[in-house]
Amino acid sequence: MHWISRFYDAHWQVTAGQSISYREIVGNLFGLASALFGLRRSVWAWPVGIVGNVLLFTVFVGQATGTDEPTTPLYGQASRQVFFVLTSVYGWWRWRRTRNAEGGPAVHPRWASTVERLSLVAGSLALVIVCFYVFRAVGAGFPVPWWYYLADSWIFVGSIAATYAMARGWVDFWLCWIAVDLVGVPELLHFRYYPSAILYAVYAGFVVWGFVVWLRISRRERLRRGSMGPALNPA
């Protein structure tokens, strides 16, 4: 379709030497919409997020394939979009199953157990180290500082961990996103992905709000379950 080709090639000329792909803007808007659906515990968070992931994947690999403006191709950022889609399919399936079985919210927020949290943290840190060496071995195709690979690895692994924790309904997933944003915003600004950097900055504030909302819900549901205990198991 001709309109798809036009949309793919369309750029917003911010300055004489700086343009921004509309795909980057629209992809980030889908990402923000997905987060809003996630806050509301709506299953729509997943399919909406997948659309944004596909659009952002084309942005981050565009320069490497010669189809976009000459900016730095962030391979870790691009790769995580692929894993986002895979993890989102799992989350979509899990939340739909909960909604269909109970007829209520698609997820019931709770803190990860000690074992779950330790497994997530330990596994993520180990994977960051592995990805750092893998990304550095593959190379970027241009001179980059050593922290480029570490930052991309941190963002890559942290994003996957956050998405998985969200699919499981763990309140902890908001904290994972905060850790990702602390690295993601500076990296994106450094490599001139300004719409994504702005979204990350806005998202950081939104994440704090989402964390508070899910924390309150988890406490409310824990109290509700606790109040049902004596009735189900009278002393």
Side-chain angles (χ1 to χ4, degrees):
M1 298 182 183
H2 183 61
W3 69 269
I4 295 179
S5 177
R6 290 184 61 185
F7 170 71
Y8 188 92
D9 295 330
H11 286 74
W12 173 31
Q13 197 70 35
V14 182
T15 66
Q18 177 70 45
S19 65
I20 299 172
S21 167
Y22 281 126
R23 284 173 287 127
E24 185 176 355
I25 298 172
V26 175
N28 281 313
L29 288 176
F30 270 94
L32 182 58
S34 173
L36 289 170
F37 278 121
L39 177 65
R40 296 176 62 85
R41 297 187 288 167
S42 169
V43 73
W44 279 100
W46 302 106
V48 169
I50 289 174
V51 174
N53 298 149
V54 172
L55 288 172
L56 291 176
F57 174 82
T58 67
V59 171
F60 290 123
V61 299
Q63 191 273 340
T65 59
T67 58
D68 261 348
E69 295 293 320
T71 52
T72 304
L74 304 181
Y75 295 113
Q77 292 273 13
S79 300
R80 76 183 185 128
Q81 305 303 323
V82 177
F83 281 88
F84 271 163
V85 172
L86 298 177
T87 310
S88 293
V89 170
Y90 167 71
W92 194 355
W93 166 80
R94 188 178 179 89
W95 283 29
R96 278 176 56 88
R97 187 180 64 172
T98 300
R99 186 193 61 183
N100 294 339
E102 302 179 8
V107 65
H108 300 286
R110 67 174 178 86
W111 283 105
S113 68
T114 301
V115 173
E116 290 169 336
R117 187 176 299 118
L118 288 176
S119 298
L120 183 68
V121 172
S124 296
L125 291 176
L127 191 55
V128 165
I129 296 173
V130 171
C131 287
F132 171 72
Y133 286 105
V134 170
F135 289 172
R136 192 168 69 171
V138 172
F142 51 90
V144 292
W146 67 271
W147 58 260
Y148 169 90
Y149 302 108
L150 183 60
D152 251 15
S153 299
W154 180 271
I155 294 169
F156 175 64
V157 175
S159 299
I160 295 172
T163 309
Y164 174 76
M166 177 181 172
R168 301 286 297 180
W170 298 343
V171 178
D172 311 58
F173 98 86
W174 297 104
L175 301 180
C176 293
W177 278 125
I178 291 175
V180 169
D181 288 340
L182 289 174
V183 176
V185 172
E187 186 194 47
L188 288 167
L189 285 174
H190 180 83
F191 291 115
R192 301 189 302 168
Y193 286 93
Y194 298 122
S196 293
I198 293 172
L199 177 72
Y200 269 52
V202 172
Y203 191 73
F206 172 79
V207 162
V208 174
W209 175 38
F211 172 72
V212 172
V213 171
W214 271 42
L215 181 61
R216 289 175 177 171
I217 294 173
S218 67
R219 288 174 175 173
R220 187 165 59 243
E221 295 203 353
R222 185 172 66 248
L223 290 174
R224 180 180 60 83
R225 289 192 300 268
S227 65
M228 294 173 59
L232 295 174
N233 300 289

